[in-house]
């Protein structure tokens, strides 16, 4: 009964304040500060057995496409809610010839959950009072759950001399700062372009060689669609 009463009160408050439930999806390109992971891969490449067989760097933790979803409430020029993001990158050493094959691979996945506050500090309207486009700023502090999938093998003349298949997890905090442009297709549907920077504390993985930090800090550029109920 108490839950029903509380829900009813929230509905009345949101209706009185003319709050809008907003759902958004965006995808874009992100850069990452993976200097320690790159150093780790380079160190592995310059030591046996990788250096002996001449393993090549096939992937060096590049920036990548990422996805983001958010659910929030907008009241006038203020919007607040929750946001989820998924990031991935990786590194790989490899060598294949007639005598055998070698591979060392690290796949990094980052799952970020955060609370966000967005302020629509400028909105341009038509003569009829219809919103045409808005400019906004956003801040989103949160937690990033990082996972490393580490696999590798060394095969010489069809004999497996070494193999690895491990998975490690760690957490870190971050703050995303963004500014964007939103074009109102209708009163409910909007298209947006957002540019920002994510500041991450990084996560140390002591289980990996040389105990590197995984740092998801970097530029975020994305575009997407929003729908308001």
């Amino acid at each position: 009964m108490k839950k029903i009463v509380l829900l009813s009160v929230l509905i009345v408050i949101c209706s009185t304040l003319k709050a809008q439930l907003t759902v958004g999806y965006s995808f874009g390109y992100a850069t990452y500060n993976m200097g320690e992971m790159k150093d780790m891969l380079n160190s592995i490449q310059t030591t046996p057995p990788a250096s002996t067989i001449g393993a090549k760097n096939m992937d060096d933790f590049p920036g990548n496409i990422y996805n983001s979803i958010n659910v929030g409430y907008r009241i006038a020029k203020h919007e607040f809610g929750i946001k989820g993001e998924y990031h991935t990158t990786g590194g790989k050493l490899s060598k294949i010839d007639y005598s055998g094959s070698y591979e060392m691979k690290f796949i990094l996945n980052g799952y970020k959950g955060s609370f966000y506050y967005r302020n629509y500090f400028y909105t341009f309207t038509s003569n009829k009072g219809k919103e045409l486009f808005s400019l906004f700023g956003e801040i989103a502090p949160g937690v990033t759950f990082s996972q490393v999938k580490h696999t590798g093998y060394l095969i010489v003349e069809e004999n497996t001399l070494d193999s690895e298949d491990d998975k490690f997890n760690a957490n870190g905090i971050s703050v995303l700062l963004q500014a964007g442009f939103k074009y109102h297709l209708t009163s409910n549907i909007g298209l947006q372009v957002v540019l920002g920077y994510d500041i991450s504390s990084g996560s140390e993985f002591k289980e990996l060689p040389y105990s590197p930090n995984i740092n998801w800090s970097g530029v975020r550029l994305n575009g997407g669609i929003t729908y308001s109920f």
Side-chain angles (χ1 to χ4, degrees):
M1 184 64 182
K2 291 182 179 179
K3 293 182 179 179
I4 295 176
V5 173
L6 179 59
L7 180 60
S8 300
V9 171
L10 290 175
I11 292 175
V12 171
I13 292 174
C14 290
S15 299
T16 303
L17 295 175
K18 296 182 179 181
Q20 287 184 306
L21 174 64
T22 300
V23 179
Y25 167 75
S26 301
F27 72 95
Y29 185 79
T31 64
Y32 307 121
N33 182 14
M34 295 292 172
E36 291 194 22
M37 292 299 294
K38 293 180 180 181
D39 291 342
M40 178 199 69
L41 201 64
N42 180 67
S43 296
I44 295 174
Q45 185 181 15
T46 55
T47 57
S51 61
T52 304
I53 63 177
K56 303 298 182 182
N57 190 327
M58 309 301 293
D59 211 355
D60 198 17
F61 306 99
N64 207 348
I65 300 297
Y66 78 103
N67 296 272
S68 174
I69 59 173
N70 62 273
V71 179
Y73 269 104
R74 180 178 176 182
I75 303 174
K77 67 178 182 178
H78 307 285
E79 182 178 321
F80 52 90
I82 57 175
K83 182 190 296 287
E85 299 176 32
Y86 170 68
H87 299 271
T88 185
T89 186
K92 178 181 177 181
L93 299 175
S94 182
K95 176 69 174 183
I96 300 176
D97 59 23
Y98 67 92
S99 63
S101 59
Y102 169 87
E103 181 179 278
M104 184 69 68
K105 184 189 297 184
F106 300 89
I107 298 176
L108 315 184
N109 294 306
Y111 307 89
K112 181 181 177 182
S114 59
F115 295 97
Y116 75 90
Y117 167 72
R118 177 179 292 185
N119 184 284
Y120 294 88
F121 57 84
Y122 177 79
T123 298
F124 181 81
T125 59
S126 66
N127 294 331
K128 297 181 179 180
K130 177 184 177 182
E131 293 184 348
L132 296 179
F133 66 84
S134 301
L135 301 178
F136 62 85
E138 179 181 305
I139 181 170
V143 178
T144 302
F145 305 92
S146 299
Q147 182 183 85
V148 179
K149 296 180 180 179
H150 174 211
T151 59
Y153 57 81
L154 174 60
I155 300 175
V156 178
E157 296 180 351
E158 300 183 353
N159 295 314
T160 302
L161 302 183
D162 189 21
S163 65
E164 296 178 84
D165 188 356
D166 300 302
K167 188 182 294 185
F168 308 110
N169 300 284
N171 305 326
I173 60 174
S174 66
V175 177
L176 175 63
L177 304 173
Q178 297 191 121
F181 170 90
K182 182 176 181 179
Y183 177 72
H184 302 272
L185 288 176
T186 69
S187 58
N188 300 102
I189 302 174
L191 299 177
Q192 64 181 29
V193 178
V194 186
L195 175 65
Y197 194 90
D198 199 333
I199 305 170
S200 174
S201 64
S203 302
E204 184 179 8
F205 281 81
K206 295 182 179 180
E207 302 89 346
L208 296 179
Y210 308 102
S211 302
N213 269 297
I214 289 180
N215 193 324
W216 297 101
S217 296
V219 176
R220 305 289 187 263
L221 175 62
N222 67 77
I225 186 170
T226 63
Y227 186 85
S228 300
F229 297 89

